[in-house]
Amino acid sequence: MSITLPALTPVEASLFLTLCCRALDNRSQHPVLGDEIADEIVRALEYDHERLHTNTDLVLNVALRAKKIDEVAARFIARHPDAVGLDLGAGLDTRSARIAPPSTVDWYDVDLPQVVAARERVVPHRARAHTIGADVTDPDWLAALPTDRPAVVTADGLVGFLAEDDVKALVDRLVDHFPSGELVFNGYTRFTIWVARHARGTRSVADQVRFPGMDDPREPERWNPALELVEEMLISRQAEIAQFPRALRTYYRLQAHSTWWSRKGTLILHYRF
Ligand SMILES: C[S@@+](CC[C@H](N)C(=O)[O-])C[C@H]1O[C@@H](n2cnc3c(N)ncnc32)[C@H](O)[C@@H]1O
């Protein structure tokens, strides 16, 4: 049965790009992520992904970055069964279903109120998974969360839509709120921000991009001294590149020889605090 959602603003509607990429990855012969729920949601919404002009490279990058972020969150939860998990700018993503945390973990999907209302209509409910309808740049939304448990905070596709000062203030609030934790998000260099503004595959979100880009993964350590870089993951160096079609595999294997060049592609930044 088709579900019709209320019209979303352009920033909110950016969720369809990543959702459709994960659905298309699931429909491919050798999925990288294999997110069946994303596929089911796209089918239930009868969303026409053709209008987004995605391509295989973008689909694989979105699927692989989601997988890497999932892995960081899953490892943290395995070490901290009392953790809270947060997915900031969650859209219609079902990270907690993919990670399947134990019942001792509370998971919070945070997005703008209209998106959270849409989530509640289309995303299957899970025990101990909560939603928060808020602008993450608003200083008050964190007040609803526990202050005495370690937190793993994920943000997949969010940072590009925030001004740099808003990202810094958000990091400060997260670090102040939780006793300890980890933060993992897909990073943007100045070049990848330029690409997001100009490439055909991201045309649907180009006008919404506000982050200027960050070329040094250690820069957040200077924003807040409690943050420590754990790892910069360059997509070109991930084992899953072996599953990519031959032309892309060859390209990324060449790229993997150069950190400078690899930073022109997808990267995941992982910090502890
Ligand atoms: C590209 S989508 C990514 C969605 C999801 N993480 C995924 O991977 O499918 C970006 C998301 O960030 C949300 N977003 C943008 N600015 C936000 C803000 N200031 N506060 C909360 N959510 C925001 C949008 O509503 C959208 O759902």
Side-chain angles (χ1 to χ4, degrees):
M1 191 184 64
S2 171
I3 301 171
T4 307
L5 297 180
L8 299 176
T9 66
V11 167
E12 294 165 345
S14 67
L15 65 86
F16 290 115
L17 183 60
T18 39
L19 179 72
C20 287
C21 285
R22 288 188 296 272
L24 291 171
D25 167 65
N26 191 59
R27 291 175 203 176
S28 71
Q29 220 176 346
H30 302 290
V32 165
L33 182 67
D35 186 337
E36 286 175 17
I37 305 177
D39 200 349
E40 283 161 18
I41 293 172
V42 171
R43 287 185 205 279
L45 294 173
E46 292 182 1
Y47 190 84
D48 174 18
H49 63 80
E50 302 270 344
R51 71 164 108 151
L52 297 173
H53 305 293
T54 60
N55 55 58
T56 307
D57 189 28
L58 182 64
V59 166
L60 287 167
N61 272 268
V62 169
L64 185 47
R65 83 184 192 202
K67 184 175 180 201
K68 295 292 133 184
I69 293 173
D70 287 359
E71 286 172 1
V72 171
R75 284 197 300 268
F76 185 87
I77 286 169
R79 292 195 309 275
H80 303 278
D82 60 333
V84 293
L86 279 73
D87 192 15
L88 306 185
L92 299 181
D93 192 9
T94 53
R95 171 155 288 117
S96 73
R98 292 196 301 270
I99 296 174
S103 61
T104 47
V105 169
D106 284 286
W107 187 272
Y108 296 84
D109 289 299
V110 187
D111 207 301
L112 297 164
Q114 274 227 112
V115 173
V116 162
R119 261 192 94 82
E120 280 160 6
R121 291 184 60 195
V122 298
V123 173
H125 180 70
R126 289 179 58 81
R128 312 245 358 204
H130 319 274
T131 52
I132 298 181
D135 182 331
V136 294
T137 66
D138 177 335
D140 298 329
W141 64 270
L142 262 171
L145 275 75
T147 54
D148 57 351
R149 293 162 65 182
V152 61
V153 183
T154 66
D156 192 349
L158 170 72
V159 169
F161 298 113
L162 304 180
E164 188 174 41
D165 283 347
D166 287 334
V167 178
K168 290 179 186 172
L170 175 60
V171 166
D172 287 346
R173 286 197 298 278
L174 290 165
V175 166
D176 284 350
H177 188 89
F178 297 105
S180 62
E182 293 185 12
L183 173 62
V184 55
F185 57 96
N186 65 305
Y188 298 88
T189 60
R190 278 179 292 179
F191 178 79
T192 55
I193 285 290
W194 184 90
V195 171
R197 287 202 173 109
H198 294 92
R200 182 174 158 85
T202 49
R203 187 179 290 169
S204 58
V205 298
D207 291 343
Q208 317 308 322
V209 173
R210 295 177 67 205
F211 192 67
M214 183 172 76
D215 289 344
D216 179 0
R218 294 211 171 265
E219 193 173 327
E221 294 179 335
R222 297 189 283 275
W223 298 347
N224 188 314
L227 276 190
E228 183 192 345
L229 178 70
V230 177
E231 191 184 4
E232 175 192 32
M233 282 178 262
L234 302 170
I235 283 287
S236 64
R237 295 182 182 161
Q238 304 309 307
E240 289 84 352
I241 292 297
Q243 291 169 246
F244 283 22
R246 188 194 301 199
L248 287 173
R249 197 167 65 228
T250 305
Y251 172 80
Y252 284 114
R253 285 195 168 146
L254 276 174
Q255 194 183 59
H257 291 290
S258 160
T259 300
W260 173 85
W261 187 12
S262 294
R263 284 182 178 152
K264 303 214 175 288
T266 300
L267 52 90
I268 311 294
L269 300 175
H270 175 193
Y271 303 86
R272 67 168 72 91
F273 58 87

